[in-house]
Amino acid sequence: RKEVEQDPGPFNVPEGATVAFNCTYSNSASQSFFWYRQDCRKEPKLLMSVYSSGNEDGRFTAQLNRASQYISLLIRDSKLSDSATYLCVVNRGGGADGLTFGKGTHLIIQP
Amino acid sequence: NAGVTQTPKFQVLKTGQSMTLQCAQDMNHEYMSWYRQDPGMGLRLIHYSVGAGITDQGEVPNGYNVSRSTTEDFPLRLLSAAPSQTSVYFCASSLVQGARGYTFGSGTRLTVV
């Protein structure tokens, strides 16, 4: 089983719509969870951390289900500028540093 | 603050050549790491460091060496470049282990011919 699995997409979504991404992770020792955004040929940038209680940052909402080892990201009122690849990321845990990345979900917002 | 600075941005090497990719951060971060990104693959961890003088292997360490003599710098050395090492390399740093995510440099695009 891959360590972090995501649907690669692409997701083609009209501007203003709501879109949801999911990912699953296999390492039960992981304690920290993130969504990163990566634009074409650029470095990943932290979008938001993900907490068990769920958390919201403006139009973005992230949820974590530790029992199912499942992470989600919801984007409301999508903008053209939201077009990017969204990376689901977990820390390696178990005393090891560093991150494990999913391959990313490609989102295209259409006018 | 400059954040995480990587040099060079682009590099072409011949098979068998060696080189060092530079990474420097000015945020006093203890945790630093190197990743490579290949088409169709997620970023993969090469080596990491939890502080000056301490390094450890990640997921794909073969063919690479690292050292951490200062908090600010974490260079990645390619010992004998191979075409399989053609990739985009990202350096990242974090103040607190894992909890707040990592800040990434802008990357080095390496081609080995």
Side-chain angles (χ1 to χ4, degrees):
Chain A
R1 179 180 176 182
K2 297 177 184 175
E3 293 197 51
V4 179
E5 291 199 55
Q6 297 181 249
D7 182 341
F11 285 48
N12 288 282
V13 174
E15 191 175 9
T18 295
V19 60
F21 305 140
N22 306 311
C23 86
T24 57
Y25 63 95
S26 62
N27 184 2
S28 60
S30 294
Q31 295 294 319
S32 300
F33 309 90
F34 311 96
W35 283 101
Y36 276 76
R37 171 192 170 129
Q38 187 173 29
D39 295 291
C40 187
R41 302 177 73 82
K42 299 284 191 179
E43 73 273 22
K45 292 185 178 178
L46 180 64
L47 179 66
M48 59 197 304
S49 300
V50 187
Y51 304 114
S52 296
S53 56
N55 49 299
E56 186 174 309
D57 183 1
R59 297 182 293 109
F60 299 85
T61 301
Q63 296 279 351
L64 167 66
N65 184 321
R66 286 185 185 268
S68 302
Q69 296 185 191
Y70 172 97
I71 305 166
S72 66
L73 177 68
L74 184 76
I75 305 175
R76 292 180 299 278
D77 186 24
S78 54
K79 313 290 186 191
L80 294 176
S81 57
D82 293 334
S83 296
T85 297
Y86 290 83
L87 307 174
C88 180
V89 183
V90 306
N91 80 317
R92 296 173 72 217
D97 193 55
L99 303 171
T100 301
F101 285 77
K103 294 182 182 181
T105 297
H106 188 41
L107 173 65
I108 301 170
I109 305 299
Q110 297 174 330
Chain B
N1 285 342
V4 180
T5 302
Q6 289 185 238
T7 57
K9 293 191 182 301
F10 301 93
Q11 183 70 49
V12 178
L13 287 179
K14 294 182 179 179
T15 297
Q17 286 185 316
S18 62
M19 79 159 294
T20 299
L21 279 61
Q22 302 292 343
C23 175
Q25 53 88 13
D26 61 359
M27 299 174 283
N28 202 31
H29 285 178
E30 290 293 328
Y31 299 91
M32 297 186 73
S33 48
W34 278 100
Y35 298 82
R36 60 177 289 174
Q37 186 173 33
D38 302 296
M41 306 283 290
L43 279 79
R44 291 180 292 170
L45 180 65
I46 304 172
H47 285 284
Y48 66 92
S49 169
V50 299
I54 307 170
T55 63
D56 207 344
Q57 296 182 349
E59 182 185 352
V60 288
N62 292 341
Y64 307 95
N65 272 357
V66 292
S67 60
R68 184 97 179 270
S69 56
T70 67
T71 299
E72 294 78 20
D73 300 297
F74 190 43
L76 179 72
R77 297 183 189 84
L78 279 70
L79 308 174
S80 177
S84 61
Q85 293 179 304
T86 294
S87 188
V88 181
Y89 292 85
F90 290 104
C91 177
S93 73
S94 176
L95 180 63
V96 178
Q97 184 180 22
R100 297 178 188 169
Y102 281 72
T103 301
F104 283 78
S106 59
T108 294
R109 297 185 177 278
L110 176 67
T111 302
V112 183
V113 298

